Amino acid sequence: MKKQKMKNILINDFNYARSLIEASLDPLVTISSVGKITDMNEALTNITGLTREELIDSNFLDYFTEPQKASNVYEQVFEKGSVADFPLTLRHKNGKLTDVLFNGSIYRDEKGNVEGIVIVARDVTEQKKAAKELTEAIMFAEMATMIAEEAKLKAEKDRLIAEDAMKAKQQFLSNMSHEIRTPMNAIIGFTKVVLKTDLTEKQKKYLRAIKISGDALIVLINDILDLSKVDAGKMVFEQIPFRMASSISTMLHLFETKTHEKNLKLIKIYDHRIPDVLVGDPVRLNQIILNLVGNAVKFTSKGKITLSTKLLDEDEHKVTVEFSVTDTGIGIPDSKRETIFENFQQASSGTSRMYGGTGLGLAIVKQLVELQEGSISVTSKINEGTTFSFILSFQKTKADTELEIDLAEYDTEVSNVKVLVVEDISLNQLLMRTLLDDFGFECDIADNGRIAIEKMQTTKYDLILMDLHMPEMNGFEATDYIRNSMNCDIPIIALTADVTTVDLAKCKAIGMDDYIAKPIDERLLYRKMLGLIKKSNIVEEPDLTELNDSAKIKCTNLKYLNTRTKSNRVLMAEMISLYLEQTPILICNMKQSLAKKDWEALHAAVHKMIPSFSIVGIHSDYEEIAKKIQEFASTMQQTEDISDLVLQLENVCNQACLELLEELNTYKNTNDE
Ligand code: ADP
């Protein structure tokens, strides 16, 4: 009975142990000290594909892909008593492999002798798969980052290449236009001169044809240059005060002959609620109107062309104006209404043959309007006519248009005018001489800036016409010298063959009064010259009370800068900022060089300071002080306390900086409003 009970207990224990072993999903196996399998659970039979009977007493190491490695681990278990998480791979009889983590420990009999080892081989296939996927995902992410970075680098490289190409294209177009325009200038100019002489009707006809072709070529060159500027994002718009009504009248005036020839009526409807003086880019506005009215005249054979302006909106700071050009011409088919604004697009393939043109005009007009945040639209009916309308906003201003003088203001009383033409190309020299002869002006020619300056030492001129690109000393350098070293304010007009790329701001900043584009429009040249000569003939009586008062309070006076920049606040702000940037450095250099007794450096610092005095209107007494310091620095003959003189300059410059900073802030505030 007792025996039976014991037997039952043993059976129970065995069943209990068995169920524990079988409960494990991981293969579990016992191995004898000679490496033979003595027991296992079902998981091992599944993973090897062998039956219990086949496995029992077989060599345990045979089921691993790397038996030698398995054998080493197996020995380690005996040596250390246990081994944990050693990675190995088990092979199924059909070849399928299972990655496992080998965990083993020895087991002993009742007497404590080592009988064998128990091994649990944890199946880690899923973890390995997940880890592999994770590694792959990381690799992919890293590769994607690398590819993206490479793409970014390539895009950057491509952008630089494209930028370089664009710059090269710009440069090429600019150079070519200059090269083409210079001889064209002579061709058109001399044609005009010859047209004024006695000619037969036939000769006149041929010469007119030459002139018309030349004019067309210039328009084409300008158009291409303008478009390339738009492409390169370099189209710059001026913000200067101008009179819109007179600007529009002048534009329409240009079409009078043409409309008269074609027997067309040219009508202007002007909304007089538009303020007299507005701030914007009059040259670009003219260009838009010229293009639209030019097209209207070209595509209309009878009836009228109407240019109307309408004030759409007005607030404290700006006005919005709608401009419309209406004609009674051939009209534009519906299907073409959108495409005509694209480059080189004309409404029909026969347009160029019948009416000429290249299809660039409207593309430029659209860009000019849209870049100024305006809009343009067209309505049209075949054989009835077309209306192009565009809307633009302009800033209001209290400033007047300093250098724009109405035609009505001119008179011919100006006499004995002596003009210095600074120009290196002999054909152009001859042309200018002929033009100035016609105006009744006396003229001297200098081949470059250096010769011009030499001539100015011996002869008094009323005005200078200055080419910009010349050998030895160019127009900018010469003007800089005349203004800053000679302190001479003779009117200077720049002559340039490259009106769209010329740095107009540079012309103004350096002190030129105006510019005129080649081929020269003689009426415009005459008008500009007369305006400047008359202006400089008016001797401004200084208001002494004002001068004295302001001298006490302020050491700067922006009258000069205002005139030079034509009250262009952006330009003024730029110049003031430049002054504020440079002056403290110069003051510091001046003081340090005095302390170190470095006379050369002192001379240089003061030398750099002098030109700015007249620009920001610091009294000429300080220029004298500066010159005394320079004299001392070069001769070492001290007549006055040099450190006192340096202190005076330092004080006035510091005060000027404070005043100008305040001025700059008021500009910024008004711009922010
Ligand atoms: P272009 O005049 O040099 O051909 P534009 O870009 O100025 O180039 O004009 C493109 C086309 O639009 C013209 O060729 C013409 O077919 C059409 N077009 C422009 N203005 C008018 C107009 N006022 N009346 C009829 N067609 C016009």
Side-chain angles (χ1 to χ4, degrees):
M1 189 63 199
K2 207 174 176 185
K3 238 180 177 178
Q4 185 57 41
K5 207 173 172 183
M6 275 298 287
K7 201 179 164 191
N8 282 347
I9 289 171
L10 276 176
I11 289 171
N12 275 348
D13 279 356
F14 176 80
N15 283 344
Y16 176 68
R18 189 84 238 153
S19 56
L20 276 184
I21 291 167
E22 291 302 343
S24 166
L25 291 177
D26 291 323
L28 224 148
V29 56
T30 52
I31 301 158
S32 69
S33 52
V34 289
K36 300 281 183 202
I37 294 177
T38 50
D39 197 0
M40 85 243 27
N41 67 353
E42 206 184 322
L44 188 77
T45 60
N46 292 340
I47 222 160
T48 53
L50 298 169
T51 60
R52 209 178 151 74
E53 289 67 34
E54 285 169 318
L55 286 166
I56 288 282
D57 233 15
S58 67
N59 199 349
F60 170 65
L61 300 177
D62 290 349
Y63 307 111
F64 290 95
T65 52
E66 296 166 287
Q68 186 53 49
K69 217 165 151 190
S71 159
N72 292 344
V73 187
Y74 173 73
E75 274 160 24
Q76 270 186 42
V77 182
F78 283 107
E79 274 167 32
K80 297 181 186 165
S82 68
V83 156
D85 286 345
F86 198 94
L88 285 169
T89 307
L90 278 168
R91 187 190 288 113
H92 191 276
K93 72 170 182 196
N94 65 10
K96 187 186 164 214
L97 302 178
T98 308
D99 290 314
V100 293
L101 287 179
F102 187 109
N103 291 281
S105 63
I106 47 172
Y107 72 91
R108 300 169 195 270
D109 60 13
E110 311 91 78
K111 290 179 193 141
N113 299 322
V114 174
E115 234 176 49
I117 57 174
V118 189
I119 288 167
V120 183
R122 186 148 24 103
D123 183 348
V124 289
T125 316
E126 282 307 313
Q127 283 101 309
K128 269 204 132 176
K129 209 171 127 201
K132 198 171 155 230
E133 277 170 7
L134 188 66
T135 318
E136 273 173 9
I138 291 170
M139 252 171 66
F140 274 125
E142 277 170 1
M143 264 164 68
T145 316
M146 260 166 62
I147 291 168
E149 261 165 22
E150 261 172 38
K152 204 173 129 200
L153 279 175
K154 190 172 172 296
E156 180 64 13
K157 215 168 125 194
D158 287 351
R159 192 184 63 78
L160 287 175
I161 293 172
E163 236 171 47
D164 280 352
M166 183 60 83
K167 272 191 202 145
K169 184 176 137 196
Q170 263 285 105
Q171 195 56 48
F172 172 77
L173 284 170
S174 168
N175 291 348
M176 279 308 286
S177 76
H178 189 81
E179 295 301 320
I180 297 171
R181 271 196 276 202
T182 305
M184 278 310 292
N185 178 28
I187 294 170
I188 295 171
F190 281 111
T191 312
K192 278 193 215 164
V193 174
V194 181
L195 269 169
K196 282 184 196 159
T197 59
D198 284 339
L199 295 168
T200 66
E201 267 317 303
K202 236 183 188 170
Q203 285 171 325
K204 269 192 194 154
K205 204 171 114 195
Y206 295 153
L207 281 173
R208 274 196 209 109
I210 294 175
K211 189 174 165 293
I212 289 168
S213 310
D215 288 342
L217 200 52
I218 292 287
V219 170
L220 179 63
I221 294 165
N222 284 343
D223 280 358
I224 292 176
L225 209 61
D226 269 354
L227 271 183
S228 75
K229 288 203 95 183
V230 170
D231 282 350
K234 289 211 179 115
M235 181 68 86
V236 186
F237 293 92
E238 282 206 273
Q239 285 295 318
I240 56 169
F242 72 104
R243 287 180 197 281
M244 187 178 287
S246 73
S247 186
I248 288 178
S249 297
T250 316
M251 280 305 100
L252 287 185
H253 191 63
L254 293 175
F255 290 99
E256 272 167 12
T257 331
K258 193 90 202 173
T259 44
H260 197 251
E261 270 172 19
K262 290 184 88 172
N263 207 13
L264 297 170
K265 264 197 196 150
L266 189 58
I267 301 166
K268 180 177 102 171
I269 302 173
Y270 193 80
D271 187 340
H272 288 283
R273 290 174 306 162
I274 300 170
D276 276 355
V277 182
L278 290 170
V279 174
D281 192 328
V283 176
R284 298 299 179 194
L285 178 65
N286 287 348
Q287 198 177 347
I288 298 167
I289 294 175
L290 270 177
N291 248 301
L292 296 181
V293 179
N295 276 347
V297 174
K298 187 158 78 171
F299 295 108
T300 307
S301 55
K302 61 172 193 297
K304 58 185 184 195
I305 317 285
T306 313
L307 169 65
S308 57
T309 55
K310 191 171 150 205
L311 181 70
L312 287 187
D313 195 19
E314 177 172 13
D315 65 23
E316 210 184 320
H317 304 291
K318 65 175 198 323
V319 293
T320 305
V321 181
E322 182 182 49
F323 304 79
S324 308
V325 179
T326 305
D327 64 52
T328 52
I330 61 169
I332 302 168
D334 285 356
S335 59
K336 296 286 174 186
R337 224 169 287 154
E338 288 303 314
T339 50
I340 50 167
F341 289 106
E342 288 165 18
N343 293 352
F344 300 108
Q345 286 298 325
Q346 299 187 313
S348 84
S349 53
T351 307
S352 174
R353 192 169 19 87
M354 282 164 65
Y355 299 96
T358 53
L360 281 178
L362 287 178
I364 294 168
V365 163
K366 187 169 172 3
Q367 297 281 3
L368 291 181
V369 171
E370 288 178 353
L371 287 171
Q372 294 182 87
E373 281 156 22
S375 59
I376 182 159
S377 60
V378 57
T379 52
S380 184
K381 256 205 168 128
I382 289 285
N383 294 330
E384 282 187 24
T386 307
T387 298
F388 281 94
S389 304
F390 63 97
I391 298 173
L392 280 179
S393 291
F394 299 88
Q395 292 293 319
K396 285 162 85 171
T397 177
K398 289 193 179 69
D400 203 353
T401 50
E402 292 255 0
L403 292 168
E404 264 196 36
I405 286 134
D406 282 338
L407 270 170
E409 283 181 45
Y410 295 152
D411 57 44
T412 45
E413 278 166 25
V414 182
S415 54
N416 296 332
V417 174
K418 202 165 169 94
V419 180
L420 178 60
V421 176
V422 195
E423 163 74 70
D424 60 324
I425 295 168
S426 46
L427 269 178
N428 288 342
Q429 292 175 351
L430 185 57
L431 181 63
M432 291 311 297
R433 195 185 280 284
T434 327
L435 277 181
L436 296 175
D437 267 0
D438 274 359
F439 296 168
F441 296 164
E442 224 181 296
C443 141
D444 241 359
I445 306 273
D447 279 343
N448 60 46
R450 188 186 50 74
I451 300 173
I453 287 162
E454 275 167 22
K455 281 184 178 288
M456 286 177 72
Q457 313 289 349
T458 52
T459 314
K460 189 180 173 316
Y461 297 99
D462 299 293
L463 186 141
I464 298 179
L465 294 175
M466 178 85 79
D467 187 27
L468 294 181
H469 304 283
M470 288 176 294
E472 259 187 82
M473 188 188 235
N474 68 32
F476 293 116
E477 292 160 347
T479 308
D480 187 35
Y481 189 86
I482 293 168
R483 292 287 185 251
N484 295 321
S485 299
M486 295 171 70
N487 281 327
C488 172
D489 62 357
I490 181 171
I492 302 178
I493 300 180
L495 301 174
T496 165
D498 193 3
V499 69
T500 47
T501 50
V502 71
D503 190 350
L504 290 183
K506 198 171 163 193
C507 276
K508 287 177 194 165
I510 217 146
M512 290 185 182
D513 297 84
D514 210 336
Y515 78 95
I516 186 155
K518 297 177 189 173
I520 284 159
D521 175 337
E522 47 193 289
R523 263 177 66 90
L524 190 64
L525 176 66
Y526 185 64
R527 206 166 65 128
K528 289 192 174 207
M529 290 180 75
L530 223 57
L532 284 171
I533 293 165
K534 279 182 72 179
K535 221 175 159 58
S536 68
N537 281 349
I538 304 167
V539 183
E540 276 182 50
E541 285 290 336
D543 181 346
L544 287 175
T545 48
E546 188 200 321
L547 203 74
N548 290 340
D549 273 344
S550 64
K552 266 184 233 145
I553 312 159
K554 274 189 151 193
C555 72
T556 55
N557 179 351
L558 295 182
K559 209 168 157 191
Y560 175 89
L561 207 53
N562 244 316
T563 316
R564 288 287 161 261
T565 60
K566 297 185 186 169
S567 305
N568 181 337
R569 291 171 84 81
V570 179
L571 202 56
M572 292 218 8
E574 240 171 57
M575 298 206 45
I576 293 175
S577 304
L578 199 65
Y579 179 88
L580 291 175
E581 219 173 270
Q582 288 177 351
T583 308
I585 303 171
L586 292 177
I587 299 175
C588 183
N589 288 350
M590 176 175 73
K591 283 166 60 183
Q592 277 179 359
S593 46
L594 177 68
K596 284 193 225 150
K597 297 194 176 5
D598 182 349
W599 307 125
E600 211 172 302
L602 177 67
H603 190 281
V606 176
H607 181 76
K608 281 186 198 152
M609 239 178 222
I610 293 179
S612 66
F613 289 173
S614 55
I615 294 175
V616 299
I618 293 177
H619 199 274
S620 56
D621 284 354
Y622 291 98
E623 203 167 305
E624 288 308 311
I625 294 177
K627 283 183 182 154
K628 273 184 197 158
I629 300 175
Q630 276 190 313
E631 208 175 293
F632 165 76
S634 47
T635 62
M636 303 294 293
Q637 282 173 1
Q638 195 163 354
T639 48
E640 288 181 64
D641 183 1
I642 194 77
S643 46
D644 183 46
L645 295 181
V646 167
L647 186 67
Q648 283 188 45
L649 273 200
E650 186 193 345
N651 287 344
V652 79
C653 288
N654 280 336
Q655 195 190 333
C657 284
L658 286 176
E659 288 172 20
L660 291 174
L661 192 65
E662 209 171 296
E663 190 76 24
L664 194 65
N665 285 337
T666 61
Y667 287 0
K668 281 190 185 146
N669 292 341
T670 40
N671 283 346
D672 289 344
E673 273 168 21

